[in-house]
Amino acid sequence: MSEFSFSEQNLRDLAAQVLQEAQKQGATACDVEVSEGAGQNVSTRLDEIETIEYNRDKGVNVTVYLGQQKAHASSSDFSSAALAETVNKALSIAKYTAADEFAGQADPARLCTHFPDLDLYHPWPLAVEGAIELARECEAAARGVDARINNSDGATVSTSGSRWVYANSLGFMGTGTSTRYSISAAVIAEDESGMQRDYWYSSARAEADLDSAKRIGQRAGERTIRRLGARRLKTGEYPVLFEAPVASSLIGHWIAAVSGASLYRKSSFLVDSLGKSVFSPCVTITEDPFLKRGFASGAFDAEGVATVARTVVDAGVQQGYFLGSYSARKLGMNTTGNAGGPHNLLVAPTIDAASLLGLMGTGLLVTELLGHGTNMVTGDYSRGAAGFWVENGVIQYPVEEITIAGNLREMYQQIIAVGDDGLRSSSRHVGSILIEKMTVAGE
């Protein structure tokens, strides 16, 4: 990963310059974020180099207020003239926007004052030659699993780093520097039943936390081979076990349903759910902004508000929403420090993952979801799926070309267990989720 062009102090100075310029030009308030990013992506396919990409970008995002009129402008030019012009453009737009009684900066009393080290920055001087070697090793491991793996979508090694400063005219200034790395592979297998594709990956803040390239490739190969010979299922109602990587999407729908914009627009099936039972009693979800090396860790949110570790769902009961200052004012509530989204959600496991198939007995294990058939207003849920048919706790055969359907409100209430196999390659740490029954449409 390339070194940064700007020091943290450089970015601080630029942010301060923008705030001074905004005041000089007549803004009543101003927020500014100045950032820089750099990265490298290398991919191989069938042992040949497919792509080598480098990226380096920088930007300044300015939000100005004229009373309760608000506007935004941005630039990738850090020169003094460009910064002044960016502020001027934002103010010109603000003059033509309607005043919004809920617009404004965060409550000064809620701004962050304590900045712990969350261990997010781990430089890895990986030269392009080293990245190519890792990608080749990963893909070779995947292709070497079985002779029926006869094609590949390739392997990719990505490294990236970012540095940024957020400041506002309330006197707040916070900084962040982080890295993120990933290795992935996807391969294709074929036999008399047809072709199948699958993949695997690992992602982390630090190179030391990544799975080995060889192991990632092996997992990709194993997952692909096990899908050969897939059949369709007879339509019916069955228990459904969402494998950890796809179970995360169920939590994603809940996040969207209890986030500010959906709530104040009343476009969510979980409006007015605070204090009510949303999930089954076996589900507890905590938010931990201070998780070391976490993908969504941060001492403050996108408005500078201090983040707080909390229990968002306690034994199924909704204890809090995800709100920034604007949505909180619209709802007559207080910000939860979630401008910009949640911070590391941890769904507490209830069972050893190896015991989940036995607990389910007979039903469907879902390992892939297709399409986007989710209605966030009603909670109606319908997705294409693939996975495995299970009988007496033992996988019998792979299945494909099926649709699973239900209603999220009912599905959440029918969660029987959560496995302890949650992936750490995400800001949502959730294991496999077993739901009592869903409609499965096949043949």
Side-chain angles (χ1 to χ4, degrees):
M1 188 196 71
S2 302
E3 291 296 319
F4 295 115
S5 299
F6 297 87
S7 69
E8 182 181 292
Q9 189 58 51
N10 291 152
L11 299 188
R12 283 176 171 269
D13 292 343
L14 288 166
Q17 185 178 338
V18 170
L19 293 176
Q20 291 168 5
E21 188 64 38
Q23 183 181 32
K24 175 183 170 184
Q25 294 191 30
T28 56
C30 178
D31 301 330
V32 57
E33 182 177 346
V34 188
S35 62
E36 179 191 9
Q40 170 184 283
N41 291 291
V42 171
S43 64
T44 62
R45 179 175 177 271
L46 301 176
D47 204 38
E48 297 292 327
I49 299 170
E50 183 121 293
T51 59
I52 298 175
E53 300 175 346
Y54 299 98
N55 67 280
R56 183 180 292 278
D57 56 71
K58 58 186 173 70
V60 56
N61 297 295
V62 180
T63 300
V64 297
Y65 295 86
L66 288 173
Q68 289 182 307
Q69 294 169 279
K70 174 185 176 183
H72 174 85
S74 61
S75 175
S76 59
D77 188 342
F78 284 1
S79 69
S80 295
L83 295 180
E85 180 64 14
T86 303
V87 171
N88 180 263
K89 291 292 186 185
L91 284 167
S92 298
I93 297 168
K95 292 173 184 176
Y96 294 97
T97 62
D100 185 338
E101 64 177 309
F102 301 107
Q105 294 175 301
D107 177 357
R110 301 292 302 277
L111 296 177
C112 181
T113 57
H114 179 57
F115 304 92
D117 178 9
L118 299 176
D119 200 25
L120 306 181
Y121 181 57
H122 293 269
W124 182 17
L126 180 67
V128 65
E129 294 82 5
I132 291 169
E133 185 178 335
L134 280 175
R136 281 176 165 159
E137 180 185 358
C138 186
E139 186 186 27
R143 295 173 64 196
V145 166
D146 193 288
R148 289 170 292 178
I149 296 176
N150 59 8
N151 207 341
S152 171
D153 276 346
T156 300
V157 176
S158 299
T159 65
S160 65
S162 61
R163 170 171 283 162
W164 50 270
V165 169
Y166 167 78
N168 61 38
S169 52
L170 296 170
F172 176 85
M173 185 175 288
T175 66
T177 304
S178 64
T179 48
R180 183 165 185 157
Y181 309 110
S182 67
I183 302 175
S184 63
V187 289
I188 299 163
E190 184 177 11
D191 66 4
E192 63 280 358
S193 68
M195 299 171 65
Q196 295 291 341
R197 173 192 180 278
D198 213 324
Y199 74 99
W200 196 246
Y201 76 102
S202 178
S203 185
R205 291 286 192 192
E207 177 264 337
D209 294 336
L210 289 171
D211 292 341
S212 72
K214 182 178 180 180
R215 182 59 190 138
I216 294 164
Q218 287 174 337
R219 286 290 299 274
E222 290 162 1
R223 290 174 66 85
T224 301
I225 286 298
R226 69 178 187 169
R227 295 181 62 158
L228 288 172
R231 319 177 201 170
R232 298 183 71 185
L233 278 179
K234 289 187 177 179
T235 297
E237 284 197 340
Y238 310 110
V240 174
L241 174 60
F242 288 79
E243 187 186 38
V246 293
S248 177
S249 67
L250 296 177
I251 302 304
H253 297 317
W254 163 75
I255 293 169
V258 294
S259 291
S262 296
L263 295 170
Y264 72 70
R265 291 171 181 158
K266 297 193 180 299
S267 58
S268 163
F269 67 97
L270 292 179
V271 167
D272 297 325
S273 59
L274 206 59
K276 298 178 182 176
S277 177
V278 170
F279 291 91
S280 77
C282 74
V283 177
T284 292
I285 305 175
T286 56
E287 181 181 23
D288 184 1
F290 310 112
L291 186 67
K292 293 291 183 76
R293 303 188 184 186
F295 284 130
S297 297
F300 54 91
D301 71 359
E303 299 177 313
V305 171
T307 54
V308 179
R310 59 180 179 142
T311 299
V312 194
V313 173
D314 187 10
V317 177
Q318 188 78 40
Q319 301 292 328
Y321 294 144
F322 299 110
L323 309 176
S325 296
Y326 182 81
S327 57
R329 292 186 191 113
K330 293 275 283 189
L331 293 165
M333 304 176 75
N334 294 316
T335 176
T336 59
N338 291 112
H343 306 278
N344 299 321
L345 295 175
L346 287 67
V347 183
T350 65
I351 191 173
D352 181 280
S355 304
L356 278 167
L357 291 180
L359 180 62
M360 178 170 69
T362 296
L364 175 67
L365 167 62
V366 172
T367 60
E368 182 181 18
L369 292 170
L370 306 166
H372 301 281
T374 307
N375 186 323
M376 295 306 297
V377 177
T378 63
D380 288 339
Y381 181 94
S382 179
R383 302 283 302 273
F388 299 87
W389 179 246
V390 178
E391 293 180 5
N392 299 317
V394 178
I395 291 176
Q396 299 298 309
Y397 52 83
V399 296
E400 64 180 359
E401 296 180 4
I402 57 174
T403 300
I404 56 174
N407 183 278
L408 286 168
R409 190 190 297 272
E410 297 169 359
M411 289 161 60
Y412 291 159
Q413 293 284 358
Q414 292 180 8
I415 292 176
I416 296 172
V418 180
D420 63 355
D421 54 344
L423 303 178
R424 292 297 181 261
S425 295
S426 165
S427 61
R428 303 172 201 158
H429 295 190
V430 53
S432 299
I433 291 178
L434 176 59
I435 293 177
E436 185 177 356
K437 65 176 180 178
M438 291 182 69
T439 298
V440 179
E443 57 185 25

